Amino acid sequence: MKISVFRKEHFNAAHRLYNPQWSDERNDEVFGKCNNPNWHGHNYELVVKLTGIPDADTGYVYDMKKLSTLIKRHVTDKFDHRNLNLDVDEFKDLNPTAENIAITIYDLLRPNIDEAYELKVTLYETERNFVEYPA
Amino acid sequence: MKISVFRKEHFNAAHRLYNPQWSDERNDEVFGKCNNPNWHGHNYELVVKLTGIPDADTGYVYDMKKLSTLIKRHVTDKFDHRNLNLDVDEFKDLNPTAENIAITIYDLLRPNIDEAYELKVTLYETERNFVEYPA
Amino acid sequence: MKISVFRKEHFNAAHRLYNPQWSDERNDEVFGKCNNPNWHGHNYELVVKLTGIPDADTGYVYDMKKLSTLIKRHVTDKFDHRNLNLDVDEFKDLNPTAENIAITIYDLLRPNIDEAYELKVTLYETERNFVEYPA
Amino acid sequence: MKISVFRKEHFNAAHRLYNPQWSDERNDEVFGKCNNPNWHGHNYELVVKLTGIPDADTGYVYDMKKLSTLIKRHVTDKFDHRNLNLDVDEFKDLNPTAENIAITIYDLLRPNIDEAYELKVTLYETERNFVEYPA
Amino acid sequence: MKISVFRKEHFNAAHRLYNPQWSDERNDEVFGKCNNPNWHGHNYELVVKLTGIPDADTGYVYDMKKLSTLIKRHVTDKFDHRNLNLDVDEFKDLNPTAENIAITIYDLLRPNIDEAYELKVTLYETERNFVEYPA
Amino acid sequence: MKISVFRKEHFNAAHRLYNPQWSDERNDEVFGKCNNPNWHGHNYELVVKLTGIPDADTGYVYDMKKLSTLIKRHVTDKFDHRNLNLDVDEFKDLNPTAENIAITIYDLLRPNIDEAYELKVTLYETERNFVEYPA
């Protein structure tokens, strides 16, 4: 039977939620205080889940140090202490909602992890708001 | 691919576990100190999960403020600082175990959320005892 | 120099906040939904702190197993899965606010712990409301 | 004996750490990635502690609902979903380090709480970095 | 519809990760500081999940006290305050990675829980590294 | 007024509690399962508190990156993934109780931090057992 392994990492970032094709009124109505043009920010907690078969020689599904390094290189080095809208290419034309950040993290990690592993990303924007991709 | 969003809320309530068709001895045997006729209580933590497709214009699967308001109106306003057995109609003839509270919360929310969304409810009675519905 | 040791325990209880010498209106005004006559409840987290000198032979200020047993005997066995107002003698004429519960726990423990130890009690009613006695 | 009561609140904000009288090189050297000119952000957790004597009629040192409202009015309504440097007057000429934010919160609350109460502020910038004022 | 119930328990243990058929160099390369021949240790948090149908008379899927006792008898009494490699038969020839510990816990519990229940085990080695079996 | 800053770090280690001058019976009686001669272990959480005056130019009491590096060099690099009794010189003749570990950490850090700062160490052996030095 398969087994899943999880690694938790974190990054701190600023962002703003808005749709540039909408009026200010429409943006305020939909995104409320998240549409502050001067930005706000979060301590994001990221959990990456890989599902596969443990290796017979190591007893590991995946080396957690290797997974941590991979998340650091492809995700947290790019996102941590950044403005997601201004500093991260992926959000130049994509609203950095928790949903879109999780999908982007998945897309950044997927090509770097063997296809034999199922990949899932959970992202906590706050302790009370979080998302999981894919569902 | 679909994505899940989660919102965490809480309520504090009193309850008592017992089956009115059983003798006191049988109730004590099965429910132990949870059968205290003078009630006891918990800080319940509730996580509501919705699974769907992010909206192209907002990047949201579901507006978390809207979900929080909906949970408040249909669940926590009814349950918070109440005696579940005495004050909440749904438990007049239903033992308020964590399982039955979770099912009841699901049933209260389901008609108020578009069927396009899959709904799941996780309820923590304590940090060490919790339930998820549907499985 | 002295060192402090801490032991965390928990209990689940029902209670109601009100002053029997006041009108219902006055009680509702001051205690709000905490004055529900049908009770509500909490998962209380209790931290007991003892300050003293480590024993040269054991390296312990106080044996944590002994402290846990002592808290169980004098506090949690009396409070857990109870209605504080109805089931616990100490609150027959004392409003079971977090403040009064903490003072009561201190008074129950103090005679059972050598005076050489300074004693402090922290009580979490919820994650967001807690008290410490003595200050 | 006196007793302390604590109320935990939170706010999400963007900020940047730098000294406008220093060169960019000096700012980078001292503040590292916290000096990102495009801002970053945090989920701040705030604990406000009041120490006093419980009221004989209520059993409260201070009404937690009243304290929560007071923190909301004087602090979190001003700080939440804001850019501390740009949107909050107090940081126009003050570097918004955790230390300076905690001192500012203390100064905002102190005139609004009776002098009979001792006031202390704990601010968590992350789970691993936090400050307490006054010491 | 089925419902899942969860019980969280914990144990503290020492262990060492290595493959006795490998050279010291190979073990150091793969397992790093986890290969310390003098052992290291963890506070393991264990969550056991059972999925089934609530009983009509009790409202329980499974009695949490009974599940707690069962986990204690078959798992934590054997693992707590032990050296997993030296003191626990199951790891005499099996590397005690989080993956293998979770699979072993599953195998210890499965025969003692009615087949009508689906069983899943989540094991936290640290707050940041955890596994789930079966996936 | 002074302000305190806190930095949280962690390390995972094995240890055994016993007094070599006592009989096995006496050690078992006092230290129970913590006296397992094959060791057990913990995820230790360490909080280091420094109290001082914020620097006028930086707004920092102490640079948290510098404090983290200092804790790493003097404490966690020596303790992490080690057997405290066998691998750490300071415990060759000192029973590694939480009390003695906290005192040792204080003694390792104190010479490396300017005397102008008050230093305090909090060490969590488990979520439920922790110590603070000096009191």
Side-chain angles (χ1 to χ4, degrees), chain E residues 8-37:
Chain E
K8 191 177 176 187
E9 301 284 347
H10 60 92
F11 58 93
N12 310 316
H15 77 154
R16 175 196 179 183
L17 300 186
Y18 73 111
N19 184 331
Q21 303 186 309
W22 286 353
S23 67
D24 287 356
E25 289 70 23
R26 180 73 180 133
N27 272 302
D28 281 343
E29 186 185 315
V30 172
F31 296 111
K33 56 190 181 180
C34 298
N35 179 35
N36 178 2

Side-chain angles (χ1 to χ4, degrees), chain E:
Chain E
M1 275 192 289
K2 290 193 169 180
I3 187 163
S4 299
V5 296
F6 303 75
R7 175 69 192 173
K8 191 177 176 187
E9 301 284 347
H10 60 92
F11 58 93
N12 310 316
H15 77 154
R16 175 196 179 183
L17 300 186
Y18 73 111
N19 184 331
Q21 303 186 309
W22 286 353
S23 67
D24 287 356
E25 289 70 23
R26 180 73 180 133
N27 272 302
D28 281 343
E29 186 185 315
V30 172
F31 296 111
K33 56 190 181 180
C34 298
N35 179 35
N36 178 2
N38 284 336
W39 326 98
H40 66 284
H42 297 290
N43 301 334
Y44 291 92
E45 293 284 343
L46 168 65
V47 177
V48 175
K49 175 190 186 181
L50 298 184
T51 301
I53 310 283
D55 180 83
D57 288 331
T58 62
Y60 281 166
V61 165
Y62 204 93
D63 182 335
M64 286 294 99
K65 291 184 300 297
K66 192 176 147 192
L67 180 56
S68 178
T69 302
L70 194 141
I71 297 169
K72 188 172 155 50
R73 187 179 322 140
H74 296 286
V75 180
T76 55
D77 277 354
K78 293 178 67 169
F79 289 20
D80 188 35
H81 282 75
R82 304 292 171 135
N83 182 308
L84 298 178
N85 305 64
L86 298 181
D87 296 330
V88 181
D89 287 348
E90 283 78 3
F91 301 111
K92 284 285 188 285
D93 299 308
L94 182 68
N95 200 15
T97 58
E99 290 89 332
N100 281 335
I101 302 172
I103 294 170
T104 298
I105 291 171
Y106 179 93
D107 290 342
L108 289 167
L109 292 175
R110 185 67 277 186
N112 296 289
I113 293 168
D114 191 297
E115 286 185 8
Y117 297 99
E118 182 189 342
L119 168 65
K120 191 169 285 198
V121 165
T122 304
L123 183 74
Y124 294 78
E125 192 171 82
T126 69
E127 193 197 353
R128 302 206 167 267
N129 289 339
F130 51 106
V131 303
E132 191 178 76
Y133 178 80

